[in-house]
Amino acid sequence: MPLTSINDALANTFKVNADHPAISDHEGETLTYRELAERVVKLHNLFKGAGIVPGDHIAICGKNSSHWAAVAVASVTYGSVAVPLLHDFQADTLEHLVKHSDAKLFFVDDVIYEKLNAENLETPIGVISLTDYGILLDKTGVVAKSKDNIDKLMSENYPDGFTTSNLSFYNEKPDELALINYTSGSTGFSKGVMVTYGNIASNERFSVENIPFLHPGDGTVSMLPMAHMFGLIIELFFPLLKGCHIYFLSRVPAPSIILKAFAEVKPKQVIAVPLILEKIIKNKIFPELEKQPVKTLIKIPGINKIIYNKIKTKLIDAFGGQLVQIIVGGAAFDPTVENFLHKIKFPYTVGYGMTECAPLIAYDVWSTYHKGSVGKIVDRMEFKIDSPDPLKIPGELWVKGANVMKGYYKNQEATDAVFRDGWMNTGDVCQLDRDGYIYIRGRNKSMILGPSGQNIYPEEIEAKLNNLPLVAESIVVDREGKLVALIHPDYEKAKTLKLDDAAIENQMVKNIADLNTQVAPYEKVASMEIMHDEFEKTPKRSIKRFMYK
């Protein structure tokens, strides 16, 4: 039976998988599905005792953890509106968003709360710690009173101990608001995306129907922030519906932490930003291919296949040894790395989505995925490309369907700006192939108008520049009608090569000359500027382009 109600589906998975492990803090506590359900019911009692009713807003801010996950599940299954906030927002931004979202309760990590001014938290009646569910702020005394009454209520309602057998959650309607997710985009400031229960159910239905190889008890690793839509919908709710065991990486996932987690969890599926794969391939694999005799052997037909198979096996082992598929998304994928992965037949695919689509727009399983694309449009969605010939001429991608948001919270002007006759403008400039696969060429907002009216997509120039020696990352900007490349060099590699600043700059000058032989005349870069610090990025690791001119 197709998934239509996210709350019914969650109640069912708690019943069916009661004795299976559900969530774990990496190197911390583990909760079974029964224990997680009990925590969710206790939070429901807390909400009710504090006067929270379905439709009220509950903000959540902290690093990934079992406590964070329980609050998010409790909020959605209670009928309240969850407001996940990125933990790396600045303090004044968090204070503003808690107020703007009209949050009546605010769950927050202690270390984040210490940086906030409690007087600026005007709307919540109480603030609760995500560290231990302690009361950090209680304006009326009702929150503490409700918390103290939880155990009594549980004893009265479950005199023989908690059980999931009669578990039922809020009976939601598809068009009811379930989430407000504030974007942290690469082209501007935060807007509150209004996501409905129907949006979530459509995304979860697609995931359940199109990723069949996950089974109860399988381990998954949660690396994306759960305050990000992919992290919440695809790395939390989807594995829960499949009965999987989710491991949260509470610290910033450095490569050593990630690889250690993979070795322990042995996930069948990994969802990652391109940077993780790119670092492994560029820093570990490519240097080995330049050494003799490998450099010569990979040019020999037959022998190169043996070498590529060994590399593929080594990569799969690095991800725990049971990898069926890795989904890459959130930012542009380095073409050189993707070409290599395609050559060795590594099981990767590139997905595409945005917060406004909760989040899925396009996807295809790795075995039929077309290299360079972002997959095909997902079920219950339609798309069109605003171009006279989408097969040859890029145009803006418009979408509509069950995944598309209601609009931006308390921002009708921004809502009206992206909708036209029921269609939503993604802001991405795309092309199509004859099989229906979508190819992203760039963001409309970052497009540069050339001297003779040509459309220049800086992302395409940057992809070429990033593959030149010692370039870690780059942005191409327009300055008085000329293209300028802002380049952050790979200082770690320069250090190993014992190169000083002058040598690095000389290499960058050569890179620009090389780049200009690879691009159209109107795309040639006039000058470059070396950036000593990494570019500011969103949680998806996309560069915040609006900060650089």
Side-chain angles (χ1 to χ4, degrees):
M1 184 175 179
L3 189 158
T4 56
S5 165
I6 183 65
N7 283 348
D8 284 352
L10 285 168
N12 183 66
T13 198
F14 284 130
K15 294 172 186 175
V16 173
N17 301 296
D19 296 325
H20 290 142
I23 56 177
S24 293
D25 292 319
H26 190 56
E27 299 180 344
E29 74 168 348
T30 294
L31 298 178
T32 65
Y33 276 81
R34 180 185 292 105
E35 289 167 337
L36 176 56
E38 183 175 5
R39 184 170 290 183
V40 165
V41 171
K42 285 183 176 180
L43 285 165
H44 286 179
N45 288 332
L46 172 65
F47 300 162
K48 187 175 181 180
I52 304 299
V53 298
D56 284 345
H57 299 182
I58 298 175
I60 317 166
C61 183
K63 293 184 179 180
N64 289 6
S65 70
S66 59
H67 285 175
W68 199 112
V71 174
V73 173
S75 180
V76 169
T77 54
Y78 184 75
S80 55
V81 178
V83 184
L85 301 172
L86 291 160
H87 69 267
D88 50 5
F89 277 141
Q90 295 296 318
D92 58 346
T93 300
L94 283 175
E95 292 164 1
H96 165 71
L97 295 181
V98 170
K99 178 181 178 180
H100 183 270
S101 67
D102 300 310
K104 289 195 174 180
L105 283 180
F106 182 27
F107 287 81
V108 62
D109 278 350
D110 290 357
V111 291
I112 296 173
Y113 183 67
E114 289 172 2
K115 300 174 184 177
L116 304 178
N117 184 344
E119 292 182 0
N120 292 334
L121 301 175
E122 298 178 18
T123 59
I125 60 171
V127 179
I128 301 169
S129 168
L130 276 177
T131 306
D132 59 5
Y133 292 143
I135 306 299
L136 299 174
L137 179 67
D138 189 358
K139 294 180 180 177
T140 64
V142 69
V143 179
K145 184 178 179 181
S146 177
K147 183 171 183 281
D148 290 341
N149 200 38
I150 288 175
D151 289 337
K152 181 184 176 184
L153 283 173
M154 293 298 288
S155 296
E156 291 174 354
N157 293 333
Y158 302 95
D160 298 322
F162 178 79
T163 175
T164 60
S165 58
N166 297 318
L167 194 66
S168 65
F169 293 140
Y170 177 74
N171 184 22
E172 81 276 19
K173 296 181 177 64
D175 62 348
E176 279 186 274
L177 190 59
L179 303 167
I180 299 174
N181 193 218
Y182 285 89
T183 62
S184 179
S186 58
T187 57
F189 300 100
S190 297
K191 297 187 288 288
V193 176
M194 295 191 289
V195 174
T196 68
Y197 281 97
N199 296 153
I200 299 174
S202 178
N203 275 271
E204 299 301 355
R205 178 180 170 185
F206 179 85
S207 301
V208 168
E209 292 176 349
N210 290 276
I211 304 176
F213 53 80
L214 289 180
H215 302 290
D218 285 344
T220 65
V221 178
S222 173
M223 292 186 291
L224 299 175
M226 284 191 288
H228 183 271
M229 194 59 68
F230 266 97
L232 183 63
I233 302 300
I234 308 302
E235 284 194 333
L236 177 62
F237 285 123
F238 168 54
L240 286 178
L241 295 180
K242 296 288 283 189
C244 295
H245 183 187
I246 308 169
Y247 292 77
F248 300 116
L249 297 183
S250 56
R251 290 183 287 172
V252 177
S256 59
I257 297 172
I258 292 171
L259 293 176
K260 185 173 183 288
F262 288 154
E264 294 176 9
V265 178
K266 304 184 186 308
K268 291 182 180 177
Q269 176 167 283
V270 169
I271 301 170
V273 293
L275 190 64
I276 291 174
L277 262 179
E278 289 167 1
K279 280 191 172 183
I280 293 173
I281 301 299
K282 287 185 174 181
N283 297 339
K284 302 292 184 184
I285 306 298
F286 283 172
E288 294 298 317
L289 297 179
E290 289 298 314
K291 295 178 181 178
Q292 292 293 2
V294 176
K295 188 173 183 179
T296 300
L297 292 174
I298 59 173
K299 297 177 182 177
I300 303 173
I303 294 177
N304 59 2
K305 287 185 178 180
I306 295 172
I307 294 172
Y308 289 148
N309 280 334
K310 286 184 177 180
I311 293 171
K312 181 173 76 171
T313 300
K314 185 178 179 181
L315 275 174
I316 289 174
D317 286 343
F319 285 97
Q322 295 187 21
L323 186 70
V324 174
Q325 173 177 271
I326 182 167
I327 303 175
V328 181
F333 201 9
D334 185 318
T336 304
V337 173
E338 183 174 8
N339 287 337
F340 177 74
L341 293 175
H342 184 75
K343 184 184 293 184
I344 68 173
K345 298 180 180 178
F346 185 74
Y348 82 96
T349 186
V350 177
Y352 165 54
M354 60 193 303
T355 305
E356 287 85 345
C357 290
L360 300 180
I361 295 176
Y363 165 85
D364 189 36
V365 67
W366 79 272
S367 55
T368 52
Y369 162 77
H370 284 201
K371 179 169 65 73
S373 77
V374 291
K376 291 182 173 181
I377 199 75
V378 298
D379 299 341
R380 292 170 298 283
M381 290 282 282
E382 298 177 63
F383 78 101
K384 62 181 180 180
I385 294 175
D386 193 0
S387 162
D389 185 357
L391 296 178
K392 296 178 181 178
I393 303 170
E396 285 187 319
L397 179 70
W398 293 73
V399 296
K400 72 175 179 178
N403 293 9
V404 179
M405 67 170 182
K406 291 187 79 166
Y408 296 111
Y409 188 60
K410 297 195 296 192
N411 195 339
Q412 191 60 45
E413 182 180 355
T415 301
D416 292 341
V418 298
F419 280 100
R420 185 176 69 196
D421 300 326
W423 290 86
M424 189 190 77
N425 187 349
T426 65
D428 289 318
V429 177
C430 301
Q431 278 181 255
L432 202 62
D433 71 14
R434 296 188 183 280
D435 295 318
Y437 286 81
I438 300 168
Y439 297 76
I440 297 177
R441 298 307 182 204
R443 288 286 294 171
N444 186 44
K445 288 183 179 179
S446 61
M447 188 193 78
I448 297 169
L449 197 63
S452 300
Q454 307 97 330
N455 292 342
I456 300 172
Y457 300 104
E459 294 91 345
E460 294 186 344
I461 304 173
E462 292 155 9
K464 294 180 172 67
L465 180 55
N466 291 345
N467 283 317
L468 296 175
L470 292 180
V471 178
E473 55 185 2
S474 64
I475 302 180
V476 173
V477 299
D478 178 22
R479 289 183 181 171
E480 298 179 351
K482 294 183 177 181
L483 298 183
V484 179
L486 310 182
I487 304 172
H488 174 60
D490 187 340
Y491 284 111
E492 282 188 27
K493 190 168 185 179
K495 187 177 180 180
T496 62
L497 296 173
K498 298 181 179 179
L499 300 178
D500 59 16
D501 288 348
I504 293 172
E505 185 168 356
N506 286 337
Q507 182 60 61
M508 297 306 150
V509 171
K510 292 178 183 177
N511 287 345
I512 296 300
D514 189 358
L515 172 70
N516 285 339
T517 66
Q518 302 178 39
V519 299
Y522 59 86
E523 294 177 317
K524 288 187 176 182
V525 171
S527 61
M528 63 92 183
E529 181 180 318
I530 291 179
M531 311 292 286
H532 293 285
D533 297 322
E534 280 192 31
F535 294 107
E536 290 285 331
K537 297 182 183 67
T538 72
K540 295 189 299 181
R541 303 299 294 170
S542 299
I543 294 171
K544 295 183 177 180
R545 308 185 73 94
F546 66 91
M547 296 181 65
Y548 302 93
K549 301 295 181 184

